Amino acid sequence: MATPALNRYELMWMLVLFDLPVVEKAERKAATDFRNFLLDNGFAMVQYSIYTKLFSGKDACEKYYKLIQNNLPDDGKVDIITITDRQYENIISFKATKKVKKKESQQLLLF
């Protein structure tokens, strides 16, 4: 029996946004360690201080809230925004002077 596909309102994107100090050598190392932690946990860099990951639903995000909290650098600010895949598809990006509408994404089936 086939597993039913998740709809675009169930799939959730987690956006991790951060502003970390990088003046001192120890601060740069802490910021790099945090970015590497996100990459090692399946997040993708959107911009230098914005990382995203797709989840199968809000419940799947819960463990990552704690995981991120447990790996925060000592200083700086980290915010987490969670939005549906349907909301994420409406992002409009600007690059240089061109307006680029995000390409329509395909729905993914997560196990």
Side-chain angles (χ1 to χ4, degrees):
M1 176 183 261
T3 305
L6 296 171
N7 72 45
R8 311 256 340 245
Y9 295 99
E10 291 172 336
L11 293 172
M12 301 297 294
W13 284 94
M14 181 184 293
L15 290 81
V16 179
L17 306 90
F18 53 91
D19 186 14
L20 304 176
V22 291
V23 175
E24 303 293 328
K25 185 176 181 178
E27 292 171 335
R28 286 190 298 276
K29 181 179 181 339
T32 298
D33 289 347
F34 185 67
R35 283 191 294 277
N36 287 335
F37 157 77
L38 292 172
L39 291 170
D40 291 345
N41 280 279
F43 286 81
M45 184 174 74
V46 175
Q47 294 182 12
Y48 194 64
S49 295
I50 302 173
Y51 287 69
T52 61
K53 183 173 179 171
L54 182 64
F55 291 88
S56 61
K58 184 78 171 160
D59 291 341
C61 296
E62 293 296 326
K63 87 170 198 177
Y64 280 88
Y65 297 142
K66 277 286 188 201
L67 195 58
I68 291 168
Q69 183 180 16
N70 292 337
N71 285 277
L72 293 174
D74 291 335
D75 294 313
K77 182 175 190 289
V78 176
D79 294 311
I80 299 173
I81 300 171
T82 309
I83 61 174
T84 67
D85 190 48
R86 189 75 172 146
Q87 291 168 317
Y88 190 80
E89 83 172 2
N90 292 319
I91 291 175
I92 297 172
S93 298
F94 295 95
K95 182 175 180 181
T97 58
K98 296 179 182 179
K99 182 177 175 182
V100 180
K101 179 136 171 79
K102 188 174 184 293
K103 292 181 181 178
E104 182 150 339
S105 59
Q106 293 179 309
Q107 185 169 349
L108 303 175
L109 177 61
L110 302 175
F111 302 72

